[in-house]
Structure formats: C-alpha cells, structure tokens
Amino acid sequence: QVQLVESGGGWVQPGGSLRLSCAASGGICSINAMGWYRQTPGKERELVAIITSGGSTAYAEPVQGRFTISRDNAKNTVYLQMNRLKPEDPAVYYCTAQEGIRLPTLRDYAYDHWGQGTPVTVSS
C-alpha cells in the first residue's frame, strides 16, 4: 500500500520561505495525482495545490504566486515550496495521493492516501 511521509515544516518569520517534502513508498505506480492540504487553526482543511502524473499543477487562490508544487520522480518525492509566507499561512500541512486513471482538477481531486502532517508556524 502507499505510504506518505511529510517533512520540512518549522518556524519562519513573515515573508520567509520553507520547502515541504513528501516521500512516497509502496504502490506508487497506481498514483495519478498528489496534493497538499493544510489545516489552519479555526478553519476547515483547505486544498492548496495538486500535481498530476502528467505534470499539470493547480493552486488555490490564496497561495497563487507564492507556493510551487513540484516532483522528483527519481526520489518518489513531491515538494511544496512556500515563499513570502504570511501570518495567515500557519497550519499543519498534509500530503495526499490519489489513485486511478482519470486525472483530476483542483475542484474534483479526491485523495486515497494521506500522511501524518508537518506543522508550519509563521510569526515574528
């Protein structure tokens, strides 16, 4: 079965940067897309970015222009580069994976696996 392990979270000042990593193992050949969610205190869990097996990416409006999702197929790893972090960005960030044939969009992405999460703190 697919296993996902996130890392890279931590503390950063507003305007700073962090890079989150998600290492996948197990039945990774069945994955057709991966996405990053975040659970912000006081808010519902939010899907912030996805990347498909074909390399297409999509972002939620609050992070467009600041966050970049990418992949390293040789390492079976997906990254979330977060730049110009804002005080409203702190959350626990979760890596997820979708199996299947149909490639999703941001609106219809439905994950089948998830990781344990990595916390991000943004403060002065």
Side-chain angles (χ1 to χ4, degrees):
Q1 64 181 36
V2 174
Q3 295 181 339
L4 305 173
V5 180
E6 303 101 328
S7 62
W11 175 90
V12 65
Q13 292 185 340
S17 299
L18 285 174
R19 188 179 73 166
L20 306 183
S21 299
C22 175
S25 62
I28 58 177
C29 292
S30 63
I31 297 174
N32 68 351
M34 298 184 68
W36 286 95
Y37 281 86
R38 66 183 180 185
Q39 180 67 61
T40 303
K43 297 182 179 180
E44 296 182 351
R45 193 169 67 166
E46 176 187 23
L47 178 63
V48 299
I50 63 169
I51 184 167
T52 72
S53 60
S56 298
T57 59
Y59 301 90
E61 290 187 358
V63 306
Q64 287 182 353
R66 299 189 297 118
F67 291 11
T68 302
I69 187 170
S70 61
R71 65 186 184 186
D72 186 335
N73 291 335
K75 298 181 179 180
N76 297 321
T77 300
V78 172
Y79 303 96
L80 185 67
Q81 179 67 46
M82 305 185 295
N83 298 325
R84 302 190 301 280
L85 284 160
K86 300 179 179 180
E88 57 265 36
D89 290 326
V92 177
Y93 284 74
Y94 295 89
C95 178
T96 62
Q98 177 183 282
E99 298 182 1
I101 300 175
R102 178 176 176 270
L103 299 181
T105 66
L106 193 68
R107 292 180 58 86
D108 60 16
Y109 175 77
Y111 63 84
D112 299 292
H113 307 278
W114 62 94
Q116 82 286 355
T118 185
V120 173
T121 300
V122 182
S123 64
S124 300

